[in-house]
Every structure is written in C-alpha cells, then in structure tokens.
Amino acid sequence: MAGIQRCKPFIVVLLLQIFISALSLSSVNGDGYTINGPVKIQSFGTKGFGHPGKLSNVKVILNGGQSVTFLRPDGYFSFHNVPAGTHLIEVDAIGYFFSPVRIDVSARNPGQIQAALTENRKGLTELVLEPLREEQYYEIREPFSIISVVKSPMGLMVGFMLIVVFLMPKLMENMDPEEMRQAQEQMRNQGVPSLASLLPGAARSN
Amino acid sequence: MAIRAFFLVLLFCSSLIPSFALYEDQVGLMDWHQQYIGKVKDAVFHTQKAGRKRVIVSTEENVVASLDLRHGQIFWRRVLGPNDAIDGIDIALGKFVITLSSRGGILRAWNLPDGQMVWETSIQGSGASKSVFLIPKVGGDNLIFGLGKGCLYAVSAIDGEVLWKRDMTAESLEIQQIIQAVDSDVLHVSGIIGSNQFGTCKVDAKNGELLMHNTADIPGGLYGEVIPVSSNTLVALDSTRTTLISILFSDGEIILEHTPISNFVGDSYGIAVISPTKLTGTFALKIETLVLFVRLTSEGRLEVVDKIKQPTATSDMLALSEGQQAVGIVQHEDGMIHFSVKLVHDWGNSLLEESIVMDHQRGLSDKVFINNYIRTDRSHGFRALIVMEDHSLILVQQGEIVWRREDGLASVIDVTTSELPVEKDGVSVSKVEHSLFEWLKGHLLKLKGSLMLASTEDLVAIQDLRLKSSEKNKLTRDHNGFRKLLIVLTRAGKLYALHTGDGRIIWSLLLPSLRKTEACECPTGLNLYQWQVPHHHAMDENPSVLIVGRCSSSSDSPGVSSFVDTYTGKELNSLHLLHSVAQVIQLPFTDSTEQRLHLIIDTDKRGHLYPRTPEAREIFQREFSNIYWYSVDTDSSVIRGHMLKSNCISKATNEYCFTTRDLWSVVFPSESEKIIATVTRKVNEVVHTQAKVIADQDVMYKYISKNLLFVATVAPKASGEIGSVMPEEAWLVVYIIDTITGRILQRMTHHGSQGPVHAVFSENWVVYHYFNLRAHRYEISVIEIYDQSRADNKDVLKLVLGKHNLTSPISSYSHPEVVAKSQSYFFSHSVKAMAVTLTAKGITSKHILIGTIGDQRYLDPRRSLNPSQAEKEEGVIPLTDSLPIVPQSYVTHAFKVEGLRGIVTIPAKLESTTLVFAHGVDLYFTRIAPSRTYDSLTEDFSYALLLITIVALVAAIFVTWILSEKKELRDKWSVHLVWKWAFRTGNV
C-alpha cells in the first residue's frame, strides 16, 4: 500500500514531463518503432582500479532482458521493432552506475518518445544515457602513515605501554611526597603488586 | 580510565570498515572466476595474414567469441540476449565477424580484433523462413545476402545498410538455399512450395529483381531439408525416406532424378538422414551408425565413394589453394579417435591420417571444423577443432591435443556439495611453510604490503604467495569447512567435481545412464541429490550423490537414475526407472548406512521409495502418516497437498510403490490469477533464535515453520514482458500458505505490479522482487510473520515458573494467530536470481544475494524490517524509499557472471562464513562473512606486526626492569648515605 502512495507525486511529475520534454528520434517501421540514442561515458578524471572501461562490452537491455544490444563505435545503440507503450531501458557497464530509463513510446503521435530517469525522477530532453556515478568495487588501501600504525591494535598496545613506562613515573614525581607515601602505604596494605615486585630478582628491601 | 578510553577507540576503528569490502590485492584469494562459452555451434578460422591466429565461434549459449588458436583462451566474448539465438557466423572483408541471429532478424558486424560492434541491422518481415546468409568470396561488391523472416535482402558489409529487400512470401516459396553462381550477378534461390512442389528463382544480386521463377512437381513429396550439392544440383529425400531425389536445374529447366537408397546398401536399412555438409559434388548420407559418402558424377548419377561404420563426424568442405577441396573426418574406435583429411575429388587418398588417444569421459565427437596451414616444406598441415559429446572443445594438430576447453560447464543444471575425506594418520601433515625463515620472510612481505611500503615486485611476490598457499587447495577436509567438492551436473549429462579452493576439476564422469540409447532417445538430467552423507555410523563409506533424469523432455517419459561416488567419480549403480519422475522428495530419514530415503512421485501420483531395501521400507512405514508434500500446477493455477494412502495394488508394481491421496487444494481463479513463482524455505536451514528483539526492548516471536510456501500470482494479461500491459490491468497477489493444511496465512495484493517475481524464503520472512508499473521501477518487498500466540511470554516470572507455552510442540494443525508485517522499497536493478546466505548454526545475520541483470551479484544486508514507528524514530531504518547499493558490496567485485542462472549458498563449518557458488555461462565461487569473520582472524592478519609488538614489549619490560633496578640501587645508596650521615652526626 505504501508503494502506491509514494508513487503518486511521481506520476504527476511524469505527466508534466510529457508536455515539456523534447523528443528523440524514432521511426515507424512495420509494426514497431525504433528507439535509439547514445550512451556517453566521460572519464570522471580519477580512473580507479579494476575498471576495464571498455565501451565495447557495454550492454543496453530493454525490459529486463527482452532484448539486448551493444554500442556501436560512436556510442549509439538502437532497439528495433519496439511496440508503443511504456518500456524500461537499463545500461550495464562495469564500473558505472546507470539509472534505468523509462521510455514512453506514444501510439497516437507515431515517433514521439518521452524518456525519464527512474532513479531520480528526472526527465530527459534527449535520449542520452549518462552514468549517475562511477562505481568502485574495491576498498582503497590507505597509504602508509604513522597514524595508521599507531591506530592499529598493536600500535595502541605499544603506545599504552610507553605511556605507562614514561609518563606514569613523571606523574608520580609530580605528586606530593606525603600523598605518595600514603598511597604506597595503602597499596602495600591492599597487597597490590607493583611493577618492580613482579619482576624476578627485584624484591624490595626498603 | 585510560584503558577504557582506548577500548572505545578500538571499537570505533573496527566498526568503520564496511563488512564486505575487498582490497584489490585480495582478488583471487578466496574467490575464483572461470569464463566459458558453451557448446560450439559453428566456427570460423581466421589464420591468414594475422599475427594472432584465432577461431571465431558461436555457441548455444548465444555467445560470439574469439579464441586464441594456440592456447584456447578467450580474446573477446559477447553474450547476446537470451532469445537472440545465433543462426550463422562468418568473416567478411577480413576484418568483421558477421552474425545472424533472432531467426534471421538481426545482422551484426563485430570488429575482429577487439569485438566492438561495428554495425547492426534489423530486418523486419512478416513471414517465417530459414535464416541463412551468404558472403560471396569473390567479387568486390562487399555485399552480404541474407534470408530471414521471409525476406531476401542484400546488406552492405561496410556499414550494414540494407541495399535491397525482397519479400518472398508472395511466391509462397519456402526457401531452403541461396547459391551464387561463380562469376555472375545472379542468385539462385531454391525451396519447396507446399509439400510436393519444388521452386527455384533467379534473383539479380545487384537490385533484387526477380529474373525467373520456375516450379516443378515432386510426386510423393519431400522429407526434410534440401541439400545443395553443386551450384546447380540439390539433393533431398522423398517423404518415405527410401529414395534420394536429385534436382538438377539449369536455365529454366528442372530435371528430377530418383535413386533408391537400396541401390547403395541393400534392402535392410534404417532411417536415412542427409547431413548438411557443404561439400561440392558430394554429400553424406547417414543411416543409423553407417555413414555413406555419395558423389554426384558428371552425368548426374549418384555413386557411393565411401562407407564408414563407426560413429563419425564430418567437417565442412575446405578449399585448398590449388582448387582442391578437402574434408575432415573423425572416427571413434575404442578410446582412440582417428582424424583423417581426404580430398573430395580423389577419395582414395588421404592427405592426413592421425590417431589420438581420447579420454573416455568426453564421449563421441559431435562436430568437426578443419583448417589448413602450409608447413615449411610447402605441404598442407591441418588442424581440427572438435566439439565433443560433453560439449568440450578440443584443438587437434599434428596428432596431438593442443588445448581443450571444458565448455560443458557453461550449462550447469544443478549443484550439490560433498565433503572431502578426513586427513588420515600417516598422511603427511601439511607442509605449508618450509622453514621458519621463509615463513617470517613471507609475513614480513605481507607486513610491507599492508603498510604500503612494498615495491611492485614485492606486491607480485605477495600475490603469488597468497595464491599458491597450498593450504586451500588440498584434497582433505579442513577445520573451517572451506574446502569442499562442488558436484555439478551439466546439460550434456556430465558430472564434474570442482574443488572449492581453486575451481579445478577433480574428476568428471559422462553419465552412461544419461547417454543416448535406443530405449532412451534424448535423456536429460534433472536434479542432483545427496544420496549418502557418511556421518556417525558409516565413516568408512564414501559419500555419494543421486542423479535423477528422464528419457525425454515430456514429463511422463520414464525416468533414469544413477548413483555416483563423489570421491572416486565412479558410477556405483544406475537404474532405468519404470515410472516417470514428476517430483523427488528428500525424506528426513536415513538408514543404517546413512543413505537418505527418497520418495519419487510419478505423473500418476504414485510414490516410489528409494533405496529399495527392507530396512528403508521399515523406516518408511514407521513415518508413513507423517509424510506430506505439495504440488503446483501452473497451467490450471492449483496447488494441492498430498499424503500417502496405501501400497499399490496393481500387478505392475512392487512393495516399494505407494498410492497417494489429496489432502487439500488451493484453486486460484484462472481468469484473474496465474501462478508465476513459488518458493519455500531451504530444508537444511538452521534457525538460531525464535525471538526477535525490536527497538523498544520488546520481544516478538518468529513464526517458524518448515512447511510454508510463498506463492506469487499475476493477472494473466500481465504475465508477459514489461510494457505490454497498462498498470490498471495488472496486479500481483502474494500468498503464504501452510503446505500441511493448505491454510492461507497471509494474502497481499500489489496493484499495478507485475512479474517476473524472484523471491527468497528464510526463517520467518520472505523477500521478493517485482516490477511496479505505476512508478515504473522495480520494487523489493518483505513479509515477516510473527507468532501472536506466544507474544505474552514476556513476563520473566512466568518464564522462571515454567508457565509459558514455549516448549509446547508446534503443529500446523493448531491454528496459531499470526501477524505479518510488510514493507516495500524501490530497487534500481532487474534481478536474475536471488539467494540467501546460510550459515552452520544460523547465528550470523543473513544477507540476501541478488543476481542483477548486469550479471553481477551483490549483497544487501536485510534491513531491520519492522515498519514500527519506534524504530523509525531511533533511526534504525534510514528513511529512504529505495535500497541503495554500495558498490563495494558486490560479491563478484569487478567480475561478471555472464548469463547468470543460479546462486547456491553452502554453510561452512565456521559459523561466520558462507560459501557462495554462482553459475551461468561463467562460474564464480567465493566465501563471504555476512557479519565479518568474528570467529577467526582475517586472511591478511599480520603475524609479523604481532611478533614485532611482542618483541618490543619484551624489550621494554627488560629496559624498565633494568631502569627500576638502577633506581632501586640508587635509592638504596641514598638510604645508605642517609644512614651513614645519621650515624656520623650521631642522630641515632
């Protein structure tokens, strides 16, 4: 039920688009129409790992696999013999995320095609398919830095130890000798072993 | 305080890393990816003036691929749509690969070096016809003549422009063949009209004008195809298949000549078939296993040149340089294949005779393609590409197998797993690390890698080290249960065992029971079941699997079954069942040798018990009244529940046969609902907890029953493709049905939605994917079912005093009150397959694996699915209406599993980990940990860093010890001095 309520504003948006959007080329041929347009993949500047980036293996899929086509060298694709109605076009290119495109082929005005991205509900004035974003399939290893070593569990262990070894005595020194003695007294009473007493051959004799 | 603070930081750090992300250098560590092409239909060699020699193939999986002739690797590969079958393939202009697909509808040109599509031409026509095309080898017009959808057309090879098109339906000619006579601009088109008329046309190749049309009656009619033998002769069989008719046409005259087959072979022979070879002047006539090569003499007579008794495959004609024509013939003889090349005009002499030892498991050869090359001594050498019965591809050259491709694995039907044998005493313990030094060196390298200090050579060394780690490829059981055997049944009827470590084939078996025999003409494999899983009692037995198939594609044909040992790959036993196979039910009982009881239901609704032992029968009789199952009839939209009634009484049966009765049925109104998907829970799924704690600290009890069935129905009008129906006419109704009682627990309608529906059912929830026509987007919905009758078991006092009903047995017959919660999200991808992760004990949270239309698979953690207000307020569900996909959560990362058909999940012994196997045209295997590997160290755990830390800590301990010793000494000295001073001053 929630789905229906949600899509109402979307329909309104679409209705508006029908009047606004410019038309992409199509030709009547026999019992169907032809949908064609380009797929444009600009290099996003940063070329990440694992992107073959080959335009030749980009597939364009009509209606969830009803027909599949490939791109020509100029980046254009075409579907022939498409009946009037509402269709869905998906682009499958590894390394990029494309929004599926809703295509309305008008039966009344032959040759009119409206297109809209379903992902962000944006109408397309021309049937030019562009990726919404690049996809990074791998985590990128962070470059070596002291911080990362320090942040690792081992680094933390070493760091903690260093603090105990070097900072604690300093803290002890800054303490009031009276208090110190009291604290030591207490510790002795409680029987908490000190660092030195834990070590072999370091029995205290004061 | 300090310690606690540090812990917080630690936790924070670890929670920052996403749960599935993979570093690029970890590729291949846990996963493997294998690319296949499928059974080769047609092949064209490209060896002239090319640096890289290649062969272009088209396959039954609708793949066009370019293979390296030296090693058999794929240069490039294009997978066409599922209903875009390739009818023909050839090379034009020396640089384009031309394919004709979609029953002659689409002509495409691909760039030969890299597989980029150059042009695509769609032919629209009304009729149906054979689809063939012809690329004239001579003449500089660069034309391609094609036939498809009832039209004859010419297309420019350069840009794919249609130069002329002629609808041949007006002549009502069923075109069989196009021939272009040498050095002329005339196309000879011939075919049959009706069943007993032969027609031939001459068409101008320049503009498609019909020059001449001729017909001739064939008394008695024709059977099957008309085969061209030379540029003006065709050969066909008459309708009784006893006489060969040769049709000679020249300049408007058609001369028919009848030759009875008995002239060649005597009176007794079987069914004759003309095989369509492209030999000039000669054709092959197959009579059962006998192959006759028949030549057309210059006077128009037919004469037999050769008779071959063994199963044979013949290649097409190959034109040699001097105008000679050669043909390759492959014959089988006990474990050997004989490859010979003969000249068409001089049949007595062979150019080449080679014998090659061939693996029995590859079966007979199916197709042969030959190619020649000039040796250094200017004689002709030949290479042959052989397609075997198991769909594998073999290149033979100079009497040796140069390479082989296991392309049968591109058509996997079913998958199951088998444990590897336990490591026995005496078997040497793993020799992974040779010495401490090497071990340390390896780990130092890894440390360098993880600190990003490694050079490129180091990185290569690290990758090698990781991939080579022999630990994962051993053939014994491991502690974590990562190493297993994947038993895979392919469409060719071959069984493979793949190692999960690296995907190599351990053994393969061409199942004898799934091969063509007289009794069983085209057997197909159906399913694989784990037949025997040795556990407690029968540790010495090897595990085995059961393969069930049937003799033909119709469901009432007799079944076949076979039992195969998964360690040795030998067939233990095979049965030709007397009954048909409609349904196979794995019963949850095993006998004393751990053989699982199986009940096979035939189309007459009788049950047959396997194994056929008195012991199994006894166990079965004990549980007789507890066995229920259901059947789905999609044609009449009925779901029925069944149980057993009694023994069969008819005489043709035995004591292992049982009659059944219907318990209940759910009938969907066939005018408004059509069943398109049914899903149940996996039998081996383990549920850890019955309760779910929701956000407001409340507890809900899951309704967990093994007998739930999810059914999706759509309006019959909307069962077609997307875009074929208006939203008002479409609806999707989903049901959750108890399969014991037939009770409908939940019914939900999605208006304006249609299929295809993909669903997974796990624990108490079902997730399904469908298309919303109103929003024109895909949606994913979830239904969760909770048991309301246990909802008041929240009082601690009650639990302590035992006044709860949690231990009361759950029965489908008690009608507990259930509550279903549902939520829908938009989803931006089409889906091909869906699966859910399975773990050993069901503690780890579940992830759904979705095979997207782009054939990648990714994981989406199932959100907290309760649409309760409290949760929303707490921000448990991000308030979005669509499910976003994090690219790092693609399980296949940058790989694709082309033509994905199924995803199989297998629990590992380690609770956190699931093994995932995806099959389509490609195979992909990996292991994933939905909640990260909380119960083991990760692969790239740096032992060296740990060691260094320990060393540093020990060193620090000693340093501080020495320091404290010194300090103590100083203290003592100072005390001593104080004492001295006091003594001297006389204070004491």
Side-chain angles (χ1 to χ4, degrees):
Chain A
M1 302 309 107
I4 293 155
Q5 276 167 10
R6 248 197 335 263
C7 61
K8 264 181 188 163
F10 178 41
I11 289 168
V12 174
V13 172
L14 271 177
L15 283 173
L16 283 173
Q17 278 162 12
I18 287 170
F19 300 109
I20 299 162
S21 61
L23 318 168
S24 54
L25 274 173
S26 78
S27 57
V28 192
N29 207 335
D31 51 336
Y33 303 91
T34 298
I35 302 173
N36 50 36
V39 172
K40 279 187 182 164
I41 301 178
Q42 298 129 346
S43 61
F44 274 63
T46 50
K47 257 289 180 237
F49 309 95
H51 284 183
K54 270 186 264 162
L55 210 61
S56 60
N57 210 9
V58 175
K59 280 186 196 174
V60 188
I61 300 153
L62 180 73
N63 288 344
Q66 186 187 334
S67 56
V68 176
T69 191
F70 297 82
L71 298 185
R72 289 197 289 268
D74 56 358
Y76 274 73
F77 68 91
S78 44
F79 288 109
H80 305 279
N81 244 342
V82 182
T86 310
H87 304 277
L88 190 76
I89 287 182
E90 285 162 282
V91 181
D92 163 36
I94 225 152
Y96 299 96
F97 175 74
F98 281 81
S99 163
V101 179
R102 173 199 171 121
I103 301 279
D104 292 272
V105 180
S106 163
R108 217 172 293 158
N109 309 315
Q112 276 197 11
I113 287 179
Q114 280 98 34
L117 298 180
T118 61
E119 196 65 11
N120 50 15
R121 295 156 196 190
K122 220 168 71 183
L124 291 177
T125 50
E126 277 180 288
L127 189 60
V128 179
L129 307 181
E130 280 174 289
L132 283 187
R133 58 174 181 268
E134 234 178 323
E135 296 207 317
Q136 204 66 258
Y137 300 115
Y138 302 113
E139 284 292 300
I140 301 163
R141 278 206 193 277
E142 281 173 28
F144 173 70
S145 68
I146 294 297
I147 304 294
S148 72
V149 174
V150 172
K151 262 166 56 181
S152 75
M154 318 292 174
L156 289 174
M157 251 157 84
V158 174
F160 179 65
M161 193 199 69
L162 288 177
I163 287 167
V164 171
V165 171
F166 295 106
L167 274 178
M168 290 293 261
K170 290 271 184 313
L171 287 173
M172 303 279 252
E173 273 171 30
N174 291 343
M175 274 167 98
D176 188 40
E178 275 300 309
E179 265 182 56
M180 175 90 158
R181 199 168 302 130
Q182 264 180 13
Q184 272 180 351
E185 200 75 20
Q186 261 178 357
M187 271 163 108
R188 212 169 295 132
N189 289 345
Q190 282 166 6
V192 176
S194 68
L195 177 72
S197 67
L198 274 175
L199 295 166
R204 261 175 200 225
S205 56
N206 44 329
Chain B
M1 196 57 227
I3 293 171
R4 192 178 291 171
F6 272 118
F7 265 114
L8 282 177
V9 172
L10 258 174
L11 285 174
F12 183 65
C13 286
S14 59
S15 64
L16 271 180
I17 305 156
S19 62
F20 272 106
L22 201 68
Y23 295 108
E24 198 180 15
D25 50 36
Q26 288 175 325
V27 172
L29 208 59
M30 304 183 285
D31 54 351
W32 46 263
H33 181 229
Q34 295 176 344
Q35 290 190 320
Y36 293 103
I37 50 175
K39 187 189 178 185
V40 170
K41 258 188 197 171
D42 208 348
V44 187
F45 290 88
H46 182 74
T47 48
Q48 276 105 40
K49 61 180 179 183
R52 293 205 282 189
K53 301 203 185 315
R54 62 191 92 214
V55 56
I56 315 295
V57 294
S58 69
T59 74
E60 290 184 352
E61 304 290 331
N62 303 348
V63 174
V64 194
S66 166
L67 303 179
D68 186 350
L69 258 187
R70 296 227 164 87
H71 311 288
Q73 287 136 349
I74 299 171
F75 279 138
W76 54 263
R77 178 181 70 156
R78 297 288 170 264
V79 184
L80 307 187
N83 34 23
D84 204 8
I86 302 166
D87 300 311
I89 181 168
D90 209 343
I91 293 175
L93 300 175
K95 59 179 182 183
F96 293 153
V97 178
I98 310 288
T99 58
L100 183 71
S101 59
S102 288
R103 292 179 300 284
I106 301 172
L107 205 58
R108 289 193 182 98
W110 312 85
N111 197 9
L112 192 54
D114 62 356
Q116 161 84 50
M117 194 178 78
V118 185
W119 51 258
E120 180 185 44
T121 301
S122 160
I123 307 297
Q124 270 114 42
S126 46
S129 66
K130 257 181 84 165
S131 76
V132 285
F133 75 111
L134 175 77
I135 298 173
K137 296 288 174 207
V138 285
D141 295 339
N142 298 330
L143 290 180
I144 298 168
F145 302 107
L147 173 69
K149 305 215 165 175
C151 297
L152 189 67
Y153 52 85
V155 164
S156 161
I158 297 161
D159 55 3
E161 196 189 334
V162 180
L163 298 174
W164 53 262
K165 193 168 97 170
R166 189 172 180 85
D167 200 339
M168 301 303 278
T169 44
E171 277 81 32
S172 68
L173 187 67
E174 221 178 282
I175 300 171
Q176 298 283 339
Q177 214 67 50
I178 317 171
I179 306 165
Q180 189 180 29
V182 185
D183 298 330
S184 75
D185 283 335
V186 178
L187 288 178
H188 291 275
V189 178
S190 54
I192 41 177
I193 305 162
S195 64
N196 54 6
Q197 237 188 349
F198 175 78
T200 174
C201 299
K202 280 185 182 178
V203 177
D204 193 328
K206 297 270 185 218
N207 52 19
E209 252 177 75
L210 197 66
L211 298 174
M212 200 194 285
H213 183 53
N214 250 334
T215 58
D217 282 327
I218 302 168
L222 291 176
Y223 174 83
E225 276 187 290
V226 183
I227 307 294
V229 176
S230 67
S231 61
N232 60 354
T233 316
L234 297 160
V235 170
L237 280 168
D238 76 343
S239 53
T240 55
R241 298 171 91 169
T242 53
T243 310
L244 283 170
I245 302 171
S246 53
I247 305 158
L248 193 80
F249 54 95
S250 56
D251 289 324
E253 269 185 280
I254 298 172
I255 306 159
L256 298 177
E257 190 144 344
H258 296 257
T259 315
I261 295 173
S262 53
N263 284 8
F264 303 142
V265 282
D267 281 333
S268 60
Y269 54 87
I271 299 156
V273 179
I274 311 179
S275 64
T277 58
K278 287 181 197 157
L279 306 177
T280 350
T282 311
F283 62 92
L285 184 71
K286 277 189 185 171
I287 304 168
E288 285 171 359
T289 56
L290 187 71
V291 179
L292 300 178
F293 288 92
V294 182
R295 181 161 55 190
L296 185 81
T297 59
S298 49
E299 303 91 54
R301 306 222 154 265
L302 298 173
E303 61 173 31
V304 175
V305 247
D306 203 358
K307 286 184 189 180
I308 299 171
K309 281 258 165 61
Q310 292 94 12
T312 318
T314 322
S315 77
D316 287 348
M317 177 203 69
L318 177 80
L320 298 179
S321 50
E322 309 100 59
Q324 292 173 309
Q325 280 145 349
V327 61
I329 299 167
V330 171
Q331 299 170 52
H332 283 261
E333 214 172 350
D334 46 276
M336 302 280 279
I337 56 168
H338 299 293
F339 170 53
S340 54
V341 178
K342 296 189 182 210
L343 282 175
V344 174
H345 298 287
D346 184 12
W347 198 268
N349 294 336
S350 297
L351 285 176
L352 187 78
E353 288 274 3
E354 283 171 356
S355 293
I356 302 136
V357 180
M358 186 62 81
D359 186 0
H360 272 292
Q361 302 304 344
R362 295 192 187 277
L364 305 175
S365 52
D366 203 44
K367 279 178 185 160
V368 187
F369 304 95
I370 60 165
N371 174 244
N372 67 315
Y373 57 93
I374 309 289
R375 293 211 194 101
T376 41
D377 60 349
R378 296 188 155 257
S379 63
H380 284 286
F382 293 93
R383 49 173 87 90
L385 193 67
I386 307 175
V387 184
M388 302 300 288
E389 197 182 345
D390 67 343
H391 300 181
S392 62
L393 195 63
I394 289 169
L395 187 82
V396 171
Q397 193 172 340
Q398 291 177 341
E400 273 176 49
I401 296 172
V402 184
W403 50 259
R404 60 199 98 199
R405 289 183 60 86
E406 292 290 346
D407 278 302
L409 286 170
S411 52
V412 172
I413 298 174
D414 202 3
V415 185
T416 188
T417 54
S418 165
E419 293 286 349
L420 284 160
V422 187
E423 207 159 348
K424 295 237 172 64
D425 294 337
V427 179
S428 65
V429 191
S430 65
K431 278 183 190 160
V432 189
E433 281 84 23
H434 305 288
S435 66
L436 186 72
F437 176 68
E438 276 186 29
W439 182 81
L440 262 178
K441 214 170 89 181
H443 278 292
L444 264 176
L445 267 175
K446 275 191 192 175
L447 174 70
K448 262 178 150 182
S450 61
L451 296 180
M452 301 286 275
L453 288 171
S455 63
T456 40
E457 292 119 64
D458 286 348
L459 282 177
V460 172
I462 294 168
Q463 201 69 2
D464 278 356
L465 210 75
R466 281 172 162 169
L467 296 182
K468 253 189 257 158
S469 88
S470 52
E471 185 74 16
K472 74 170 190 181
N473 297 335
K474 275 182 10 179
L475 269 176
T476 49
R477 214 174 284 186
D478 65 334
H479 184 67
N480 290 334
F482 293 162
R483 291 201 296 263
K484 280 184 198 314
L485 282 179
L486 291 166
I487 313 290
V488 160
L489 176 68
T490 66
R491 203 165 54 215
K494 196 171 184 179
L495 206 62
Y496 292 88
L498 306 177
H499 194 283
T500 55
D502 52 1
R504 68 183 191 274
I505 296 167
I506 305 292
W507 52 260
S508 63
L509 171 73
L510 191 65
L511 285 167
S513 56
L514 288 180
R515 288 180 74 174
K516 229 180 255 185
T517 55
E518 269 179 44
C520 204
E521 275 205 357
C522 61
T524 48
L526 287 178
N527 285 103
L528 263 176
Y529 299 94
Q530 287 186 336
W531 176 253
Q532 194 177 14
V533 185
H535 226 239
H536 303 298
H537 317 300
M539 278 309 269
D540 294 334
E541 305 258 346
N542 286 358
S544 53
V545 289
L546 163 72
I547 298 104
V548 178
R550 55 167 84 106
C551 271
S552 71
S553 51
S554 75
S555 64
D556 52 356
S557 60
V560 284
S561 69
S562 176
F563 305 91
V564 176
D565 186 323
T566 61
Y567 287 174
T568 60
K570 297 275 179 296
E571 191 173 45
L572 299 171
N573 190 10
S574 72
L575 293 171
H576 274 272
L577 310 180
L578 295 168
H579 54 83
S580 55
V581 179
Q583 213 175 345
V584 182
I585 299 162
Q586 273 194 301
L587 300 172
F589 318 115
T590 52
D591 67 5
S592 58
T593 55
E594 299 274 338
Q595 289 188 341
R596 188 166 288 277
L597 270 61
H598 284 70
L599 188 67
I600 300 181
I601 313 292
D602 65 12
T603 40
D604 300 327
K605 289 187 180 173
R606 277 189 311 234
H608 301 268
L609 178 70
Y610 294 88
R612 298 198 157 185
T613 56
E615 188 200 354
R617 207 180 118 82
E618 195 186 309
I619 299 167
F620 187 70
Q621 288 287 7
R622 226 181 291 146
E623 305 286 345
F624 197 75
S625 58
N626 290 333
I627 294 163
Y628 297 86
W629 71 96
Y630 69 91
S631 63
V632 181
D633 185 351
T634 43
D635 296 330
S636 51
S637 296
V638 182
I639 295 176
R640 289 190 186 88
H642 311 274
M643 72 178 294
L644 293 162
K645 202 164 90 184
S646 63
N647 267 40
C648 294
I649 2 172
S650 66
K651 58 183 186 303
T653 55
N654 53 26
E655 55 188 336
Y656 298 103
C657 166
F658 303 90
T659 53
T660 64
R661 64 188 170 96
D662 286 2
L663 270 182
W664 52 264
S665 62
V666 177
V667 184
F668 300 99
S670 58
E671 65 276 3
S672 66
E673 290 183 36
K674 184 177 184 292
I675 299 172
I676 55 162
T678 54
V679 179
T680 53
R681 269 180 62 186
K682 279 213 181 171
V683 189
N684 55 347
E685 191 189 51
V686 186
V687 181
H688 180 68
T689 172
Q690 282 195 42
K692 181 181 172 175
V693 182
I694 53 175
D696 52 359
Q697 303 294 312
D698 209 353
V699 176
M700 307 227 3
Y701 287 90
K702 299 173 184 171
Y703 183 74
I704 293 163
S705 163
K706 290 230 181 238
N707 307 313
L708 291 184
L709 174 71
F710 169 81
V711 183
T713 66
V714 289
K717 258 190 177 178
S719 54
E721 301 281 353
I722 294 161
S724 59
V725 71
M726 297 300 285
E728 295 74 37
E729 297 168 314
W731 53 83
L732 171 79
V733 192
V734 296
Y735 298 87
I736 289 169
I737 297 173
D738 189 305
T739 56
I740 305 292
T741 58
R743 176 186 172 211
I744 294 175
L745 295 172
Q746 179 69 12
R747 178 181 189 275
M748 244 172 76
T749 310
H750 298 271
H751 289 286
S753 295
Q754 71 164 101
V757 171
H758 296 273
V760 279
F761 205 138
S762 175
E763 292 192 3
N764 67 328
W765 49 265
V766 54
V767 171
Y768 53 102
H769 176 271
Y770 56 92
F771 191 74
N772 185 336
L773 282 165
R774 284 182 208 275
H776 220 76
R777 295 181 77 172
Y778 285 100
E779 276 189 351
I780 277 188
S781 285
V782 59
I783 301 176
E784 284 181 291
I785 311 157
Y786 291 101
D787 190 347
Q788 231 15 55
S789 64
R790 291 156 179 250
D792 41 337
N793 288 324
K794 289 167 196 161
D795 200 341
V796 181
L797 200 69
K798 265 191 179 174
L799 286 173
V800 171
L801 295 174
K803 283 187 178 174
H804 56 82
N805 58 357
L806 287 180
T807 48
S808 62
I810 299 168
S811 162
S812 285
Y813 285 109
S814 64
H815 279 212
E817 207 181 315
V818 292
V819 167
K821 300 204 170 198
S822 172
Q823 180 77 309
S824 302
Y825 302 95
F826 283 131
F827 187 75
S828 49
H829 292 269
S830 304
V831 166
K832 277 194 176 171
M834 251 169 135
V836 67
T837 59
L838 284 177
T839 53
K841 294 189 176 62
I843 300 167
T844 312
S845 68
K846 303 227 160 166
H847 279 198
I848 298 166
L849 294 160
I850 298 175
T852 60
I853 189 82
D855 300 320
Q856 277 174 313
R857 290 172 311 120
Y858 86 94
L859 280 172
D860 182 59
R862 191 175 57 98
R863 308 267 188 97
S864 177
L865 298 157
N866 278 330
S868 74
Q869 196 56 40
E871 266 187 312
K872 278 182 186 166
E873 280 164 5
E874 279 186 25
V876 175
I877 313 169
L879 284 172
T880 53
D881 58 354
S882 61
L883 286 175
I885 306 152
V886 187
Q888 280 92 344
S889 65
Y890 278 96
V891 176
T892 53
H893 36 92
F895 292 134
K896 269 172 123 179
V897 183
E898 292 277 6
L900 181 72
R901 272 187 288 260
I903 305 171
V904 181
T905 53
I906 311 123
K909 254 186 225 156
L910 201 64
E911 167 56 27
S912 65
T913 313
T914 306
L915 310 178
V916 179
F917 179 63
H919 58 90
V921 176
D922 295 348
L923 302 182
Y924 184 81
F925 174 88
T926 191
R927 59 168 196 261
I928 53 171
S931 315
R932 312 186 71 229
T933 47
Y934 54 79
D935 47 5
S936 68
L937 289 173
T938 52
E939 290 276 319
D940 54 342
F941 180 78
S942 177
Y943 289 94
L945 192 59
L946 180 71
L947 263 185
I948 288 172
T949 317
I950 290 170
V951 168
L953 281 173
V954 169
I957 285 168
F958 276 95
V959 167
T960 45
W961 176 33
I962 290 161
L963 283 177
S964 82
E965 283 270 271
K966 274 186 182 166
K967 193 165 179 262
E968 231 163 272
L969 196 65
R970 213 167 44 235
D971 283 353
K972 277 182 187 161
W973 267 115
S974 61
V975 169
H976 182 69
L977 287 175
V978 167
W979 272 102
K980 231 173 162 180
W981 173 76
F983 185 72
R984 204 178 292 162
T985 49
N987 272 1
V988 179

